[in-house]
Amino acid sequence: MARRSGRRRPAGTGGGCRPRGSETARPESPVPVPHPERRKRARLLGAVLAALGLALFPVVKYGNVFPDTGKPMAFGRPLAGHRQAAFRTASILADGTRIGVTTLHGKKSGFTGKVWAWAPPEYYQERYRDSAFPVLIALPGGRGYPSNYWNRPRLGLQRAVTDLAALGRSKPFLLVMPQLNPDLRHYYDGSDIPGRPKIGSWLSDDVPDLVRATFRTFTSRDGWALMGSSSGGFVGLKMALQHPDRFRAVIASGPDTRPDSPLWRGHEKERRANDPGRLAAHLSARPGAPPVYLQFQIGTEERGRADLERFIRRYAKGPVTAALHVIQGGGHNAKGYVRGMREASLEAIGKVLRGPAPEVRPDRTYTAGPPAGARPGDRDPGRRHRP
């Protein structure tokens, strides 16, 4: 079975720590009494440092040293009939695009959590002002709380989407990166486990509702896909098979293929209802079921390949189509999975998903996108295309 990174013991938690009281005792030394003038200087320095800490709080909170980090932002003008969520700048990429973060109070799940979002350069271009864009919901491995590591530009996911779209090899996806779990103590298999926060409804209903209210999106499932690594790959796989009317494809990197949260104990019926194998079998047997594309990824330096190959042989039939991309030298980590997405997987799902349609008018000169230093969200007229 493929490993879930969130289920391994965190590095550095076992052994190696010096036990209390093991240090050699040292004789006490006299404590000098500070001069009154020194005490005055110390108080002044403390006040300055406190003020500086408050000024830097937004930078520390959102993790990036940029003047606009932590400030309110928008992905274009609010869409007609929708109240746009209050996003704040989390990161600014080299091309001027921004990753925003908001707090979502889920109406259907009742769960409250963080959601990060990013729009590609094409989203702000004049030629696409009336076009819908495909959505890729990116789910992390590990704990998935309180953040989503796909919002870190250094991992290169946003850059990979931009580069492949520019080469015509894939689509310019809107990236949506929600919190995966509600706490650090448990993992929830992206499901509505009885008596627990409804993470399944949060991911399948509340997050897409937020996206539709914020961005120009396709109303059909042909513009919606999921992507996840490790435990996030399991959730993406399960959700694509569980909601084929909402999602057309998934990239599942190094995933498990069976639900195994300890929180399922005493809820075997519900656990089986969230098993990807059972969901795939039911979908294949359903007359007229919508087609779903499963793009798996696995590195040669990790376990789990045999399990994925077995899953494909058993369940890839009828409306369920599947492929496996093997990442040479790749391990169980996000950077390796981004490399695999560059090599094959983003292009693979791009072939089954709809992309934006540029407006072509001979009397108009189009700009290439937001220039460096621009506020991309201020350029977009925010019109929704309803294909």
Side-chain angles (χ1 to χ4, degrees), residues 295-302 305-306 308-309 312 323-330 336-337 339-341 343-345:
Q295 175 70 21
F296 291 103
Q297 294 194 138
I298 196 77
T300 56
E301 302 302 312
E302 63 174 317
R305 179 173 176 177
L308 296 183
E309 291 174 338
I312 292 172
L324 174 63
H325 176 61
V326 178
I327 307 165
Q328 296 300 318
Y337 296 143
R339 178 159 63 86
M341 284 186 267
E343 291 170 351
S345 295

Side-chain angles (χ1 to χ4, degrees), residues 38-111:
R38 291 179 180 175
R39 287 200 299 266
K40 182 178 179 181
R41 292 175 183 173
R43 286 195 296 269
L44 178 61
L45 178 60
V48 171
L49 292 175
L52 182 61
L54 289 174
L56 290 177
F57 174 74
V59 173
V60 174
K61 181 178 180 182
Y62 293 96
N64 292 277
V65 185
F66 288 106
D68 291 332
T69 300
K71 290 187 177 181
M73 64 165 290
F75 296 97
R77 300 172 188 169
L79 301 177
H82 293 274
R83 181 181 178 183
Q84 195 168 32
F87 278 88
R88 289 185 174 272
T89 302
S91 299
I92 306 174
L93 279 65
D95 60 3
T97 57
R98 300 182 179 214
I99 297 174
V101 60
T102 190
T103 299
L104 172 61
H105 306 285
K107 291 183 179 180
K108 295 182 180 178
S109 66
F111 176 71

Side-chain angles (χ1 to χ4, degrees), residues 94-221:
D95 60 3
T97 57
R98 300 182 179 214
I99 297 174
V101 60
T102 190
T103 299
L104 172 61
H105 306 285
K107 291 183 179 180
K108 295 182 180 178
S109 66
F111 176 71
T112 298
K114 298 286 187 183
V115 180
W116 290 260
W118 172 83
E122 290 86 351
Y123 190 82
Y124 308 106
Q125 293 175 9
E126 183 69 14
R127 70 176 70 205
Y128 291 106
R129 60 178 293 169
D130 294 319
S131 180
F133 276 71
V135 177
L136 185 60
I137 298 177
L139 305 173
R143 292 182 172 90
Y145 175 90
S147 187
N148 179 324
Y149 56 59
W150 293 117
N151 67 39
R152 304 172 189 169
R154 64 181 177 81
L155 291 178
L157 177 60
Q158 293 77 17
R159 182 63 184 271
V161 170
T162 299
D163 290 349
L164 293 181
L167 293 171
R169 289 181 50 203
S170 189
K171 302 294 193 297
F173 292 103
L174 296 164
L175 292 180
V176 181
M177 301 154 279
Q179 181 181 319
L180 184 62
N181 287 307
D183 55 58
L184 291 174
R185 297 186 300 276
H186 307 102
Y187 52 93
Y188 290 70
D189 281 339
S191 305
D192 290 351
I193 300 176
R196 302 288 178 173
K198 296 183 177 181
I199 300 304
S201 296
W202 152 264
L203 294 171
S204 64
D205 292 289
D206 293 328
V207 171
D209 284 348
L210 168 72
V211 178
R212 283 187 284 267
T214 306
F215 297 98
R216 303 188 307 275
T217 62
F218 290 101
T219 55
S220 74
R221 72 189 194 100

